[in-house]
């Protein structure tokens, strides 16, 4: 049996079933659905039924939303970064042309945005999404990367025509540099996190992410309601979007929600225990690279402050165990290509379900129907092959 251990676990003292006032536009979900579904290559990402793992853990169902195939970019991020680029450009063009819904894919609009620049900071996938969106719509793109970003991830971003600028320091340092440069140069900054001052673009990013759960709700029609969700959290964009959409759909019967983080950079754990945003400093690099963040997003905070019920942290040893498990064939819906960050929510579930005291406190059992997100595939192919022992194509063709 697969075995993963927790580092820490805690109940959120502020958890509530009452839906707070969400920091999103009232029609944001509809705008995201209408916009993204019209992009070339759009299709809902599949949901995998991990029946063997559910049986091993004595759970009813494990639904694994597989974002490794989204738009060929290997992660859920296009739903956020590229969508936020489209919103920034649309607002700019609406001011110029008077059209509230300009067709960004038209040659006329591409000519109008060719002189504009969008920028973002990234630890990998968000920057790739912003660069992909910029290429699709025809504007210039500059991406700031922190020192821990691998060369393959930088090359993947650059392949969409983006200029890469290296920043010494952490992801949070890169976020600040992107914001400062955008203000100085008059660029559109597209962060996936908010310091409380830059709000509109990160709000757009989060609203785009909500489409992922919106798809899942449609795909799971006819199934028993989801009882638990395990969500990996870096700055908290995907986790807050997912929790919010389930909350909208289920009301006060929302699923029990658990936030999963690397022990090295557990800013949500520390913040929710403290009851206020707390920055984690020091060595915050993790094998779960997309979660190597020391500060929570203030767009995500109002949702997860009360919408998260539990927080768990893992050490990096969980990464190879879960990646290899998903790469193997089973009687359930495997193999699945999951990267170092992509597996973390599922690893948190496995660890929690194997801890008898925590399992009981969370209410995990044979009647539980758990939703988890595979947030990325092999976005660093060399790292994936080193960990799993095979490339993604070899795994799928085995």
């Amino acid at each position: 049996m697969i075995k993963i251990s927790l580092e820490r676990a805690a109940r959120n003292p502020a958890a509530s079933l009452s839906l707070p006032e969400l920091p999103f536009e009232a029609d944001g979900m509809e705008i995201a659905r209408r916009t993204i579904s019209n992009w070339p290559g759009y299709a809902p990402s599949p949901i995998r039924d991990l029946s063997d793992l559910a049986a091993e853990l004595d759970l009813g169902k494990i639904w694994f939303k597989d974002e490794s195939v989204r738009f060929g970019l290997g992660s859920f991020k296009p739903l956020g970064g590229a969508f936020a680029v489209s919103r920034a450009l649309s607002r700019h063009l609406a001011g110029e042309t008077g059209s509230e819904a300009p067709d960004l894919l038209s040659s006329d609009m591409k000519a109008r945005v060719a002189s504009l620049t969008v920028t973002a900071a990234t630890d990998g996938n968000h920057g790739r999404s912003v660069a992909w969106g910029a290429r699709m719509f025809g504007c210039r793109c500059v991406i700031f990367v922190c020192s821990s970003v691998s060369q393959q991830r930088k090359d993947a971003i650059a392949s969409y025509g983006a200029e890469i600028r290296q920043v010494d320091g952490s992801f949070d340092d890169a976020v600040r540099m992107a914001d400062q440069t955008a203000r100085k140069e008059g660029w559109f900054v597209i962060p996936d996190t908010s310091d409380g001052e830059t709000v509109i673009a990160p709000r757009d990013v989060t609203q785009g992410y909500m489409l992922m759960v919106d798809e899942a709700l449609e795909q799971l029609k006819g199934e028993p309601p989801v009882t638990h969700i395990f969500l990996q959290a870096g700055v908290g964009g995907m986790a807050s979007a997912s929790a919010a959409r389930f909350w909208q759909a289920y009301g006060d019967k929302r699923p029990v929600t658990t936030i999963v983080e690397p022990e090295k950079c557990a800013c949500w754990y520390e913040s929710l225990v403290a009851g206020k945003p707390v920055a984690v400093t020091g060595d915050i690099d993790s094998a779960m690279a997309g979660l190597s963040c020391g500060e929570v997003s203030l767009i995500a905070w109002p949702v997860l402050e009360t919408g998260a019920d539990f927080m768990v942290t893992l050490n990096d040893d969980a990464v190879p165990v879960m990646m290899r498990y998903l790469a193997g064939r089973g009687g359930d819906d495997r193999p699945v290509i999951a990267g170092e960050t992509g597996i973390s929510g599922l690893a948190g579930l496995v660890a929690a379900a194997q801890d008898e005291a925590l399992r009981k406190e969370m209410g995990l059992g044979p009647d539980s129907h758990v939703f988890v997100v595979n947030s990325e595939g092999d976005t660093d192919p060399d790292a994936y092959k080193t960990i799993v022992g095979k490339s993604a194509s070899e795994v799928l063709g085995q």
Side-chain angles (χ1 to χ4, degrees), residues 344-363:
S344 46
L346 186 63
L349 166 61
V350 171
Q354 293 175 334
D355 183 302
E356 287 303 321
L358 185 59
R359 177 189 180 93
K360 184 176 181 180
E361 189 176 8
M362 289 181 170

Side-chain angles (χ1 to χ4, degrees), residues 199-210:
V199 172
I200 294 176
R203 181 192 65 193
D204 291 336
V205 169
T206 306
Q207 288 180 163
Y209 292 161
M210 291 173 77

Side-chain angles (χ1 to χ4, degrees), residues 214-256:
D214 197 61
E215 293 174 352
L217 291 167
E218 182 66 27
Q219 291 166 316
L220 294 176
K221 274 186 176 179
E223 296 289 343
V226 172
T227 61
H228 296 74
I229 52 178
F230 281 72
L231 302 167
Q232 51 268 51
V235 297
M238 186 204 79
S240 64
S242 301
R245 187 68 192 96
F246 271 112
W247 216 335
Q248 288 175 333
Y250 284 27
D252 61 7
K253 293 181 174 58
R254 68 168 178 80
V256 176

Side-chain angles (χ1 to χ4, degrees), residues 37-124:
S37 64
N38 283 321
W39 292 348
Y42 169 76
S45 63
I47 288 188
R48 312 295 184 190
D49 180 0
L50 300 185
S51 55
D52 277 5
L53 183 58
E56 282 186 28
L57 299 175
D58 194 23
L59 301 173
K61 283 286 186 181
I62 299 175
W63 299 114
F64 199 42
K65 182 71 164 163
D66 186 4
E67 294 295 306
S68 69
V69 297
R70 180 74 72 176
F71 284 114
L73 269 73
S75 84
F76 72 102
K77 289 288 188 174
L79 298 177
F83 174 64
V85 171
S86 77
R87 295 291 285 149
L89 297 178
S90 292
R91 292 186 185 104
H92 175 81
L93 291 170
E96 278 195 346
T97 67
S99 171
E100 292 187 5
D103 180 5
L104 293 179
L105 299 178
S106 71
S107 57
D108 179 54
M109 291 303 164
K110 285 186 176 183
R112 285 180 175 271
V113 304
S115 62
L116 303 179
T117 300
V118 295
T119 189
T122 192
D123 47 20

Side-chain angles (χ1 to χ4, degrees), residues 162-219:
E163 176 189 338
I164 306 296
R165 296 191 184 181
Q166 181 86 35
V167 176
D168 291 333
S170 68
F171 168 75
D172 303 301
D173 295 322
V175 168
R176 284 184 274 273
M177 181 60 72
D179 185 70
Q180 292 167 9
T181 306
R183 291 175 187 271
K184 178 182 175 183
E185 301 289 344
W187 298 346
F188 297 96
V189 64
I190 312 293
D192 61 353
T193 185
S194 174
D195 58 5
E197 293 184 12
T198 303
V199 172
I200 294 176
R203 181 192 65 193
D204 291 336
V205 169
T206 306
Q207 288 180 163
Y209 292 161
M210 291 173 77
L211 180 60
M212 179 180 66
V213 170
D214 197 61
E215 293 174 352
L217 291 167
E218 182 66 27
Q219 291 166 316

